[in-house]
């Protein structure tokens, strides 16, 4: 599936919708872009394998789609065909979606993750899946984030890049 943000700050989605990843309240695939209802002030979006994220202008994060391993961050494992707010997360300035995990950067330079942690991709020092956000251990002064399939990256203000998670091909 694909996601986009229009100039009016609405989110649009199209493609595969088997797990509700288009956020339109259905499980119907869409060949052309359609709006994600009940979202406004969207600054950015991120597409995972079967889930989607949106960052709102008020610093909150919204998620929808398949919720295996808790990748939606709403405290449950329930699939959502419409956006739900990620619990306990505010002051967010950037988001990223991996295959089955999600990442957020807060204004204070901390990184928060949730979802699948099979390869340590959440960076919390465990291999425990999380249904709500946890802070990445010992990482501060971050200015940018990225998520790969099973790994996560962070750029710090000193120019160093930090990575964690699956490293089978040197990710």
């Amino acid at each position: 599936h694909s996601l986009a943000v229009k100039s009016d700050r609405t989110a649009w989605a199209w493609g595969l919708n088997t797990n509700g990843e288009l956020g339109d309240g259905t499980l119907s695939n869409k060949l052309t872009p359609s709006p994600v209802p009940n979202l406004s002030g969207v600054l950015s979006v991120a597409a995972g394998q079967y889930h989607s994220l949106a960052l709102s202008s008020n610093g909150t994060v919204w998620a929808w789609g398949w919720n295996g391993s808790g990748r939606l961050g709403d405290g449950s494992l329930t699939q959502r065909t419409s956006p739900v707010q990620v619990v306990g997360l505010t002051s967010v300035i950037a988001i990223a979606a991996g295959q089955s995990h999600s990442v957020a950067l807060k204004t204070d330079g901390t990184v928060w993750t949730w979802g699948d942690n099979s390869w340590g991709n959440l960076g919390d020092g465990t291999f425990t899946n999380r249904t709500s956000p946890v802070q990445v251990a010992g990482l501060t002064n971050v200015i940018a984030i990225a998520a790969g399939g099973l790994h996560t990256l962070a750029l710090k203000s000193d120019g160093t890049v930090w990575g964690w998670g699956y490293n089978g091909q040197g990710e």
Side-chain angles (χ1 to χ4, degrees):
H1 71 289
S2 298
L3 302 170
V5 178
K6 289 182 64 173
S7 60
D8 65 359
R9 298 290 180 208
T10 57
W12 291 67
W14 62 99
L16 183 72
N17 197 29
T18 308
N19 298 285
E21 51 265 66
L22 301 186
D24 64 358
T26 75
L27 296 176
S28 300
N29 298 338
K30 301 279 193 283
L31 298 178
T32 58
S34 61
V36 178
N38 304 316
L39 278 183
S40 60
V42 176
L43 297 178
S44 64
V45 289
Q49 185 174 18
Y50 299 116
H51 75 292
S52 303
L53 302 174
L55 173 59
S56 176
S57 59
N58 67 4
T60 60
V61 178
W62 298 78
W64 59 94
W66 190 44
N67 202 11
S69 306
R71 67 188 79 187
L72 300 186
D74 68 346
S76 79
L77 296 174
T78 304
Q79 176 178 310
R80 308 290 184 175
T81 60
S82 298
V84 293
Q85 188 172 350
V86 175
V87 297
L89 198 57
T90 58
S91 303
V92 174
I93 56 172
I95 55 173
Q99 176 178 313
S100 54
H101 73 291
S102 303
V103 187
L105 171 61
K106 294 181 71 169
T107 55
D108 64 3
T110 59
V111 177
W112 296 74
T113 58
W114 59 98
D116 180 68
N117 200 19
S118 299
W119 299 95
N121 31 323
L122 299 187
D124 67 349
T126 75
F127 293 100
T128 304
N129 296 341
R130 306 292 182 175
T131 60
S132 58
V134 293
Q135 187 174 350
V136 174
L139 190 64
T140 57
N141 300 315
V142 173
I143 59 172
I145 54 172
L150 301 171
H151 70 285
T152 310
L153 300 170
L155 171 64
K156 292 182 66 168
S157 59
D158 64 4
T160 59
V161 176
W162 296 71
W164 58 94
Y166 182 73
N167 196 28
Q169 281 80 43
E171 288 86 345

